[in-house]
Amino acid sequence: NAGVTQTPKFQVLKTGQSMTLQCAQDMNHNSMYWYRQDPGMGLRLIYYSASEGTTDKGEVPNGYNVSRLNKREFSLRLESAAPSQTSVYFCASSAHQVLETQYFGPGTRLLVL
Amino acid sequence: RKEVEQDPGPFNVPEGATVAFNCTYSNSASQSFFWYRQDCRKEPKLLMSVYSSGNEDGRFTAQLNRASQYISLLIRDSKLSDSATYLCVVMNNAGKSTFGDGTTLTVKP
């Protein structure tokens, strides 16, 4: 049981490049989330998916797109990376959206030059 | 004003000390409350949920005060291994979570 896995662990991009961050969970959870964490700050919600087939914007969605590929996988895409998107990205999942503990992946450290 | 506010610290305490963290939230309709622990450069992990009646797990006690809109975390008999950042998390009735910026605790020998 791997829990929540994320790839890649590290990535360096040049401004304007695109990339997709992958996230998968094997806990049969309905809800999945993408957060970013900047130094010295808490996590900010980018997008979430309450259930397979649905996605909604969080607090900081600009510059990102997401795809809930199936119940297990939730990807985050940066179409044209900017230095302001340098951050640590965490994916999380929970059994249901409300009242439930979120389980986090190990994070992807992204540097945009 | 931030939706969830925490004292950033750092809190530097000796082993065996008792330390308390507070967290205030602005949305009176908030539904669920949690404390997460985050070690340096690692993912957050649930420490405990916070219930209106208060709850205790070993050396850790969490309290919720809905009238004053704050939650607290008390750590008794601090251990070196308690050194981490503690994140307050508030969830609304639509399931959206808002994280505080975290309180850093360092427990020293």
Side-chain angles (χ1 to χ4, degrees):
Chain A
N1 213 351
V4 180
T5 57
Q6 291 183 237
T7 56
K9 286 188 167 50
F10 305 95
Q11 184 71 47
V12 178
L13 291 178
K14 294 182 180 177
T15 297
Q17 287 185 314
S18 62
M19 79 162 295
T20 300
L21 281 64
Q22 307 286 354
C23 174
Q25 51 90 11
D26 62 2
M27 297 176 281
N28 200 35
H29 283 171
N30 289 303
S31 301
M32 297 185 74
Y33 312 82
W34 275 106
Y35 293 90
R36 62 178 287 175
Q37 185 175 32
D38 299 320
M41 297 182 68
L43 281 71
R44 291 184 291 169
L45 184 64
I46 304 171
Y47 271 93
Y48 65 102
S49 171
S51 60
E52 187 179 355
T54 69
T55 61
D56 286 288
K57 294 179 180 180
E59 184 185 349
V60 287
N62 292 345
Y64 305 95
N65 285 302
V66 290
S67 295
R68 184 74 183 265
L69 303 167
N70 47 55
K71 192 171 186 180
R72 289 187 64 247
E73 298 171 288
F74 189 38
S75 62
L76 178 72
R77 182 157 178 85
L78 286 71
E79 290 292 351
S80 179
S84 60
Q85 294 178 304
T86 293
S87 191
V88 180
Y89 291 85
F90 288 104
C91 176
S93 71
S94 62
H96 299 284
Q97 196 175 2
V98 184
L99 303 180
E100 292 284 346
T101 303
Q102 294 183 36
Y103 295 86
F104 286 82
T108 293
R109 283 159 179 76
L110 176 65
L111 173 62
V112 183
L113 301 173
Chain B
R1 184 189 167 190
K2 287 187 179 181
E3 210 170 314
V4 177
E5 296 208 56
Q6 293 184 249
D7 181 347
F11 285 68
N12 297 307
V13 302
E15 269 186 295
T18 296
V19 62
F21 308 137
N22 287 327
C23 167
T24 59
Y25 60 95
S26 59
N27 184 355
S28 60
S30 296
Q31 186 92 346
S32 312
F33 308 88
F34 307 88
W35 283 103
Y36 278 74
R37 171 193 169 126
Q38 186 174 29
D39 293 295
C40 187
R41 301 178 69 80
K42 300 277 191 179
E43 72 272 23
K45 293 185 179 177
L46 179 71
L47 180 65
M48 55 200 307
S49 302
V50 188
Y51 306 116
S52 297
S53 54
N55 47 306
E56 189 173 311
D57 182 3
R59 298 181 292 108
F60 298 85
T61 301
Q63 297 275 359
L64 166 64
N65 185 319
R66 284 191 183 271
S68 301
Q69 293 182 204
Y70 78 83
I71 67 174
S72 63
L73 177 68
L74 181 77
I75 305 175
R76 290 181 298 277
D77 189 23
S78 300
K79 310 290 185 194
L80 296 177
S81 57
D82 294 334
S83 297
T85 296
Y86 291 84
L87 301 168
C88 168
V89 183
V90 175
M91 184 182 285
N92 67 13
N93 55 7
K96 274 193 185 175
S97 295
T98 302
F99 282 71
D101 288 345
T103 298
T104 300
L105 171 67
T106 302
V107 181
K108 299 188 173 179

